[in-house]
Amino acid sequence: MQKKLAMIICTMLMSLLVATAVAAAPMEMSANEIEYNSTTEQIQATGKVVLKRESGTAKADSAQYNVKNQTGRLQGNVSLQQEQSTLVCDALDILSQNHFVATGSLARVSKGGDSLSAPQISYYDDRQFAETNGGNALLNKDDGSTLTANYISYDMRKGEAVALENVQINAPARDLEGAGDKAVYLEDKTQANNSSITLSGNAWAIQNGNKIVGNRLVFKTGKSQGEASGKVVITIPPETQKTSVKK
């Protein structure tokens, strides 16, 4: 058994050295048990699997990985640590060097204080771009704001999130809540006060106790006022109602 395991490891290491020389990025794997097929260049690993590549390090309970085409699947307590982002899920499909699909109840990708979660997330590491599948998408921002929708795409490099269908937003720091068919959150990385939230399509919002309805609503991060267009209706409660709410 020990000789067989030694031969497997030796053959695997030799193949990996060859793969490293010809592949775009080197790969290193460790686990409690590893089986390697030199013909198909397929690896089966179980128990405390650690997969290291140039772009990051992944951990899982088990893994299948093809050395030749650099594709595979990790399952069980999966975490992927990239240079600027972290991805956790139940299962992770490696479709290419920079394209990953995370699935499961815990599928979440995060960067800094922001995180995007959904039943399934496609993540493109070279673009730092993530998009959800399967509904129930949730974006948590570092300022405490939340954005929920059937679909959310998040460009982490640009700081832009686009949400579609059943969109709801809650921003306690701005005393703002609202909904619409679509929402665009655009973060200004040079000046935080210029960041904006745009709701469109059957849009409504409540801010500082005032309700506004319109086809398109725009709110700036550092300003209490917003912009509205298209069949706008504004409801301002009487001062007496505001006072009773504060109590």
Side-chain angles (χ1 to χ4, degrees):
M1 181 66 182
Q2 290 181 344
K3 290 184 178 179
K4 181 180 179 181
L5 181 59
M7 289 180 64
I8 291 174
I9 294 175
C10 182
T11 303
M12 184 190 71
L13 290 175
M14 289 177 64
S15 180
L16 291 182
L17 287 173
V18 174
T20 299
V22 299
M27 188 278 285
E28 177 184 329
M29 177 181 285
S30 64
N32 289 346
E33 296 182 11
I34 296 177
E35 294 182 8
Y36 177 69
N37 187 315
S38 59
T39 302
T40 61
E41 298 190 44
Q42 186 75 13
I43 298 174
Q44 300 278 351
T46 56
K48 296 182 179 179
V49 178
V50 178
L51 175 62
K52 294 182 179 181
R53 306 195 312 166
E54 190 174 56
S55 58
T57 299
K59 298 180 180 180
D61 294 336
S62 63
Q64 301 175 4
Y65 190 82
N66 189 278
V67 177
K68 184 176 181 179
N69 56 34
Q70 299 187 52
T71 61
R73 181 175 176 84
L74 284 68
Q75 291 182 286
N77 301 304
V78 181
S79 66
L80 174 63
Q81 183 66 55
Q82 303 289 92
E83 183 177 352
Q84 299 184 36
S85 61
T86 302
L87 194 154
V88 296
C89 56
D90 296 332
L92 181 69
D93 290 298
I94 304 173
L95 303 183
S96 69
Q97 184 177 341
N98 292 298
H99 185 192
F100 311 96
V101 176
T103 56
S105 58
L106 299 177
R108 182 178 71 254
V109 61
S110 58
K111 178 184 178 182
D114 301 340
S115 66
L116 176 64
S117 58
Q120 186 178 85
I121 300 175
S122 293
Y123 181 65
Y124 302 83
D125 182 57
D126 54 340
R127 295 158 50 198
Q128 295 182 33
F129 179 85
E131 61 179 345
T132 67
N133 294 298
N136 298 318
L138 168 64
L139 176 65
N140 286 290
K141 296 293 293 179
D142 59 1
D143 63 357
S145 302
T146 60
L147 178 64
T148 61
N150 289 353
Y151 167 89
I152 297 178
S153 66
Y154 187 30
D155 190 323
M156 299 180 181
R157 186 172 293 168
K158 293 181 180 179
E160 180 182 53
V162 178
L164 302 174
E165 298 180 359
N166 297 319
V167 177
Q168 292 187 344
I169 186 167
N170 185 18
R174 305 176 184 85
D175 192 20
L176 171 68
E177 62 176 307
D181 297 331
K182 179 180 179 180
V184 177
Y185 180 96
L186 184 59
E187 179 182 359
D188 189 332
K189 296 182 179 296
T190 61
Q191 190 173 353
N193 288 341
N194 285 335
S195 298
S196 64
I197 300 170
T198 302
L199 291 168
S200 59
N202 301 305
W204 65 265
I206 299 175
Q207 187 173 41
N208 301 323
N210 304 322
K211 183 175 182 179
I212 182 169
V213 179
N215 290 338
R216 184 173 181 271
L217 310 176
V218 182
F219 300 90
K220 293 290 186 180
T221 300
K223 300 179 180 179
S224 59
Q225 72 269 28
E227 301 174 9
S229 60
K231 298 181 179 180
V232 178
V233 177
I234 300 176
T235 303
I236 302 176
E239 189 64 29
T240 54
Q241 291 184 3
K242 289 185 179 180
T243 304
S244 62
V245 170
K246 290 181 180 178
K247 290 181 180 179

